[in-house]
Amino acid sequence: MKNLIISLIIIDLASAYRENFFDSQQLPYHSLPLGSESTFHWRVEPMMGMIEVEIHYVSEEHSWFAVGFSDHGDAKSSDYCVLWIDWRLTVHFHDAWANEAGIIQIDHHQDCNEFVWKKSSFENVTKFAFTRKFDTCDDQDYIIERGTTHIVWSKGRGPLSSLNGLNVISDSMSSGMSRTELLRLVIHERPKFSDDTWRFAILSDQVRVPDNETTYWCRVQRLPPILKQKHHILQFGPVIQRGNEHLVHHMEVFHCATSVNVIIPIYNGPCDSEDRPQTTQMCKKVLAAWAMGADEFVYPKEVGLSIGGERFNQFIMLEVHYNNPEYMKGVIDSSGIEFYITKTLRKYDAGVIELGLEYIDKMAIPPRQKSFELSGYCVSECTGMGLPHNGIFVFGSQLHTHLTGTKVRTRHIRDGQEISPLNYDNHYSTHFQEIRLLPVPVNILPGDSLITTCTYNTLNRRNITLGGFSISDEMCVNYIHYYPNARLEVCKSSISDDALRTYFRYMRDWENQHTDFNKAISTSYKNIEWTKLRVAALHDLYQAAPISMQCNGSDGTRLPGLWDNVAVPQIKSLQSPVVRKCPATYVSHHANNIDRLL
Ligand SMILES: *[C@@H]1O[C@H](CO)[C@@H](O)[C@H](O)[C@H]1NC(C)=O
Ligand SMILES: *[C@@H]1O[C@H](CO)[C@@H](O)[C@H](O)[C@H]1NC(C)=O
Ligand SMILES: *[C@@H]1O[C@H](CO)[C@@H](O)[C@H](O)[C@H]1NC(C)=O
Ligand SMILES: *[C@@H]1O[C@H](CO)[C@@H](O)[C@H](O)[C@H]1NC(C)=O
């Protein structure tokens, strides 16, 4: 309670609290804009298993404010903490739940605790704070997990006669949804930077942000001549133009990874414009990825990301995704990403390995599926060939699917035993992609196998979804960031041709479908009319069929080995499910949905 009251004052002095948190044992505060007039601040208390939240918003007199947690961002069917004022002008704070229609019911168990409230008389800003356990053991509450959390909010006019019956959508004046990684459990103990470290910002240049909901802006730039010499990136983070915090949704910096002499046109415009030169499509190797609500990314102390050098193409491209749901007009923006760079190289170059499925039409997701799973494998023969004797340490991970992905998980198997997952996100969204630091670096040894499983929701698609590069195609990838740099760069799989041929033959001979393996695979998939049985047969096929491995080195060649018709890794013992610490009186329906925090 004391902390919360102090924090109400501290947060006003943004710079002061940033300096203070290193003195205390607590994890730092983070902030997330919720639209242009409110912000969500929070701090994680891992030992207590809870978060401290503080909301600031511009209010009218007696207005109510609801903030909550939602599985995939829908404001309805969500868990809320609501501040409201009754007609006697008493201030209330309740733990509540909105049903499919958005109508609020107060929970039987009240789990939005330690409420503090403060109204600033001169700025019309109201602030309130509360604490919330990750898992309240109440089935009416959302379980806060590792990975993405969708924060929903809405506010409206008061006073209210009662909270029950309020509609969070139709009774609100404004509402919205923001995504963040809420449970940030990494303690940023900033490694020492060498004295010659300098800062290098890659910014957009006075972009007139369109009054469209979504804009992707691309700007190609040439690196400064000093980067003809190899350097290390030690950190990267956002530089957001003041006042535009709610508009800059995510940013990525891509390297135009092609021959050193290729000149890329200095394009500056919408990424999807017809005027965008074709050669800029080569700028797709990710150097940095940041999304709203994320902090800076700091490399571990012995590691740096290599940039520059004699054979390094000198062009990079900044992509900024502007999200403007309030259709603001005339906003000018020069936000971007700032790197900390040094020529004093650290011991290790960071490396990236791509795990998951090959993005080709052998991967397919039938239409009208609520949750269809596909897995990509990195088998022990491949890690055995491609990793050094002591293995590698994975410190970061970027999960990646396109529009229909809802969950991603990479499982880790050693000697037939499943150990803690490498990374997972049970509330994944393609619109919230960042390179995330893992709570602790994970050691992967030669001979380990990794299984990346993606879950897709195609309920609103009428046709089959196939693997591919286009945004309406799908992918299932985990880019892992690690050291020391190893030979292996791609460890992905697809179903073996033989198994797929057998399935298409079965569909033709027994189910009268127009499948034909001599035509394009996509044609056969598209010709199947998807019944429950045919979907189930495809699912079973993907579970059991042998695979074809892409086990490639960083020079683009295949590592020696037999990579066709490989058996999928066998798991002799599964990781035991996590036991929730809940009183026996609670009957739980969530038991299978929660994961380890670490
Ligand atoms: C605060 O609200 C009052 C009444 O709604 C309004 O007249 C005033 O301009 C507001 N002040 C600020 C600083 O927004
Ligand atoms: C904004 O939207 C309009 C209408 O959809 C479109 O014509 C225009 O190109 C968009 N502007 C940008 C910069 O994307
Ligand atoms: C679905 O497939 C049909 C037939 O190939 C095609 O005409 C239609 O445009 C597709 N629909 C969508 C939404 O892609
Ligand atoms: C792996 O290497 C082979 C041989 O160079 C190449 O044909 C294939 O496209 C590569 N696969 C991937 C996924 O890069």
Side-chain angles (χ1 to χ4, degrees):
M1 194 66 174
K2 197 174 77 211
N3 282 338
L4 287 172
I5 296 170
I6 291 169
S7 71
L8 280 169
I9 301 153
I10 286 175
I11 281 185
D12 286 337
L13 312 165
S15 57
Y17 80 81
R18 287 223 162 251
E19 277 157 30
N20 279 343
F21 72 70
F22 286 112
D23 303 338
S24 71
Q25 297 296 334
Q26 289 162 322
L27 290 176
Y29 262 103
H30 312 281
S31 298
L32 174 71
L34 303 173
S36 56
E37 294 191 331
S38 34
T39 26
F40 182 99
H41 306 267
W42 80 101
R43 177 160 60 194
V44 185
E45 290 280 2
M47 302 306 286
M48 316 267 282
M50 68 179 198
I51 55 168
E52 289 175 20
V53 177
E54 188 169 311
I55 307 285
H56 299 185
Y57 64 101
V58 176
S59 55
E60 288 183 14
E61 221 163 1
H62 316 319
S63 58
W64 55 268
F65 194 100
V67 60
F69 310 101
S70 158
D71 270 331
H72 287 282
D74 190 355
K76 300 166 204 150
S77 306
S78 283
D79 180 23
Y80 285 96
C81 299
V82 192
L83 180 152
W84 63 284
I85 297 171
D86 70 19
W87 57 274
R88 289 194 187 87
L89 305 189
T90 311
V91 177
H92 300 267
F93 192 64
H94 278 113
D95 181 2
W97 174 262
N99 68 13
E100 290 91 30
I103 296 169
I104 291 266
Q105 276 292 321
I106 294 176
D107 285 5
H108 299 305
H109 271 274
Q110 289 296 303
D111 297 294
C112 306
N113 299 321
E114 302 186 73
F115 172 64
V116 191
W117 179 79
K118 178 180 161 187
K119 191 167 170 75
S120 152
S121 50
F122 54 95
E123 279 178 311
N124 296 355
V125 172
T126 300
K127 304 179 181 183
F128 67 90
F130 61 96
T131 62
R132 167 67 156 70
K133 287 219 152 86
F134 303 159
D135 181 2
T136 63
C137 294
D138 179 355
D139 284 348
Q140 286 171 313
D141 286 342
Y142 175 92
I143 298 174
I144 299 172
E145 289 186 89
R146 180 168 146 185
T148 307
T149 303
H150 293 74
I151 313 264
V152 284
W153 62 275
S154 81
K155 70 176 180 184
R157 286 203 180 90
L160 303 176
S161 58
S162 82
L163 181 58
N164 281 335
L166 180 77
N167 190 310
V168 280
I169 306 298
S170 56
D171 293 335
S172 74
M173 289 184 321
S174 53
S175 61
M177 185 271 291
S178 299
R179 300 179 182 90
T180 190
E181 184 194 16
L182 207 53
L183 287 197
R184 247 170 261 172
L185 300 170
V186 182
I187 301 174
H188 272 281
E189 206 184 314
R190 191 175 297 264
K192 225 173 108 46
F193 289 180
S194 59
D195 293 338
D196 59 4
T197 303
W198 48 286
R199 291 193 286 180
F200 170 47
I202 297 173
L203 304 175
S204 45
D205 181 21
Q206 305 203 13
V207 172
R208 193 173 287 275
V209 180
D211 56 340
N212 289 356
E213 176 150 1
T214 304
T215 305
Y216 281 82
W217 197 269
C218 280
R219 182 178 185 210
V220 175
Q221 296 177 55
R222 189 181 203 131
L223 292 172
I226 189 173
L227 289 179
K228 294 221 163 80
Q229 185 189 346
K230 175 173 167 172
H231 284 64
H232 265 166
I233 295 170
L234 309 182
Q235 170 178 332
F236 63 81
V239 189
I240 311 281
Q241 181 166 332
R242 244 197 121 110
N244 293 351
E245 288 83 357
H246 60 289
L247 288 173
V248 180
H249 180 275
H250 83 242
M251 300 187 283
E252 288 189 79
V253 175
F254 299 98
H255 179 220
C256 309
T258 177
S259 316
V260 62
N261 293 324
V262 176
I263 305 284
I264 309 288
I266 302 293
Y267 178 68
N268 185 18
C271 301
D272 57 1
S273 164
E274 283 172 10
D275 300 335
R276 180 174 162 191
Q278 187 60 31
T279 40
T280 63
Q281 303 292 346
M282 279 190 277
C283 312
K284 60 181 180 211
K285 180 157 188 180
V286 178
L287 282 180
W290 172 89
M292 185 189 265
D295 297 324
E296 58 274 6
F297 187 90
V298 185
Y299 282 85
K301 63 177 188 297
E302 295 176 300
V303 193
L305 179 67
S306 175
I307 184 170
E310 272 170 23
R311 290 167 57 197
F312 193 86
N313 184 286
Q314 293 290 301
F315 292 89
I316 51 170
M317 187 179 79
L318 173 72
E319 180 185 291
V320 184
H321 172 184
Y322 295 105
N323 189 38
N324 188 3
E326 294 166 56
Y327 297 97
M328 290 185 158
K329 275 193 169 63
V331 183
I332 306 287
D333 184 68
S334 298
S335 300
I337 297 249
E338 180 178 63
F339 293 93
Y340 285 65
I341 294 187
T342 176
K343 65 174 193 298
T344 310
L345 302 182
R346 285 182 172 172
K347 189 167 173 195
Y348 300 114
D349 275 351
V352 179
I353 295 176
E354 192 177 341
L355 304 173
L357 276 167
E358 247 189 289
Y359 14 91
I360 52 176
D361 56 11
K362 281 206 251 171
M363 67 178 272
I365 306 138
R368 309 263 186 239
Q369 299 303 303
K370 182 143 188 264
S371 56
F372 191 83
E373 284 187 356
L374 292 177
S375 295
Y377 301 89
C378 178
V379 298
S380 56
E381 293 85 344
C382 183
T383 58
M385 288 293 302
L387 299 185
H389 184 66
N390 292 327
I392 54 170
F393 290 89
V394 179
F395 56 85
S397 158
Q398 183 184 5
L399 307 174
H400 181 77
T401 77
H402 289 172
L403 300 173
T404 67
T406 58
K407 289 182 191 184
V408 183
R409 162 184 307 257
T410 297
R411 299 160 73 194
H412 186 183
I413 290 100
R414 178 170 297 160
D415 300 325
Q417 306 220 328
E418 181 177 7
I419 52 184
S420 298
L422 180 58
N423 195 13
Y424 62 85
D425 192 338
N426 289 334
H427 306 275
Y428 177 84
S429 163
T430 189
H431 302 295
F432 184 54
Q433 291 192 37
E434 39 169 3
I435 305 173
R436 289 188 191 147
L437 282 171
L438 300 181
V440 282
V442 175
N443 187 211
I444 302 193
L445 295 174
D448 287 359
S449 41
L450 299 161
I451 307 177
T452 300
T453 301
C454 297
T455 308
Y456 302 93
N457 177 328
T458 57
L459 280 177
N460 60 16
R461 294 220 170 164
R462 282 191 296 139
N463 294 345
I464 186 103
T465 301
L466 300 174
F469 285 95
S470 150
I471 189 71
S472 55
D473 297 331
E474 267 306 339
M475 293 194 177
C476 178
V477 178
N478 181 358
Y479 299 97
I480 55 172
H481 297 249
Y482 72 94
Y483 68 93
N485 207 353
R487 197 172 161 206
L488 186 60
E489 187 170 279
V490 175
C491 194
K492 299 195 297 187
S493 70
S494 61
I495 185 169
S496 85
D497 287 346
D498 288 347
L500 198 54
R501 189 174 291 129
T502 308
Y503 174 77
F504 286 154
R505 192 181 307 125
Y506 171 86
M507 282 294 133
R508 186 192 60 198
D509 295 351
W510 295 90
E511 295 279 316
N512 286 322
Q513 300 299 296
H514 299 286
T515 50
D516 181 353
F517 206 79
N518 296 319
K519 296 212 179 103
I521 292 171
S522 57
T523 309
S524 287
Y525 275 131
K526 282 179 187 158
N527 283 346
I528 296 174
E529 261 188 69
W530 292 100
T531 61
K532 270 198 172 147
L533 177 90
R534 291 171 198 152
V535 171
L538 183 69
H539 175 262
D540 293 350
L541 174 83
Y542 280 139
Q543 293 280 310
I547 52 176
S548 152
M549 278 301 305
Q550 299 283 319
C551 179
N552 286 10
S554 40
D555 57 358
T557 62
R558 196 159 285 202
L559 302 190
L562 281 175
W563 303 119
D564 281 329
N565 279 314
V566 180
V568 299
Q570 293 300 307
I571 308 175
K572 283 180 234 138
S573 74
L574 293 175
Q575 217 210 355
S576 50
V578 170
V579 181
R580 292 172 71 193
K581 292 191 203 104
C582 288
T585 49
Y586 286 92
V587 181
S588 170
H589 305 304
H590 283 309
N592 296 322
N593 288 333
I594 178 135
D595 271 295
R596 272 162 219 280
L597 292 171
L598 285 172

